[in-house]
Amino acid sequence: MYVYILQSEKTKKYYCGQTQDLVRRLYRHNSGLEPYTKSGLPWKLVISFEVNDRAASMKLEKSIKKRGIRRYLEDHKLV
């Protein structure tokens, strides 16, 4: 499983999600197949984290979103 952070090249907003297939998921975001990210095309992958299982991915995704994606990236010096 992966937890990933995307940034819209159009709006500069961030999106955080989780998936088992990172390449397929990024393709879906950039093809406009995901309603929530459709308006921010194109999206670039900022970072991804590989985790052991769905429970771990849900926990990490929740902690990133709770802190705020941009603040999380700044706190961990990822941007």
Side-chain angles (χ1 to χ4, degrees), residues 4-7 12-16 46-49 64 67-79:
Y4 61 93
I5 297 175
L6 305 177
Q7 185 178 30
K12 303 301 181 201
K13 292 186 179 185
Y14 291 99
Y15 176 84
C16 181
V46 175
I47 193 162
S48 64
F49 306 95
I64 292 170
R67 176 68 180 139
I69 300 170
R70 185 179 37 158
R71 270 188 275 161
Y72 179 89
L73 291 169
E74 290 170 351
D75 290 351
H76 292 86
K77 299 182 181 9
L78 299 171
V79 288

Side-chain angles (χ1 to χ4, degrees), residues 7-8 18 30 46 51 57:
Q7 185 178 30
S8 167
Q18 57 179 298
N30 279 320
V46 175
V51 294
S57 68

Side-chain angles (χ1 to χ4, degrees), residues 12-67:
K12 303 301 181 201
K13 292 186 179 185
Y14 291 99
Y15 176 84
C16 181
Q18 57 179 298
T19 186
Q20 289 183 355
D21 186 343
L22 192 55
V23 173
R24 180 175 175 268
R25 190 73 169 132
L26 186 56
Y27 170 80
R28 289 183 57 82
H29 283 297
N30 279 320
S31 296
L33 298 172
E34 300 299 331
Y36 189 80
T37 57
K38 188 186 240 183
S39 64
L41 295 173
W43 292 88
K44 67 177 179 179
L45 181 64
V46 175
I47 193 162
S48 64
F49 306 95
E50 189 170 5
V51 294
N52 294 329
D53 54 35
R54 182 151 166 81
S57 68
M58 290 175 68
K59 184 177 179 180
L60 178 57
E61 181 185 15
K62 184 176 180 179
S63 71
I64 292 170
K65 288 180 175 178
K66 184 174 182 180
R67 176 68 180 139

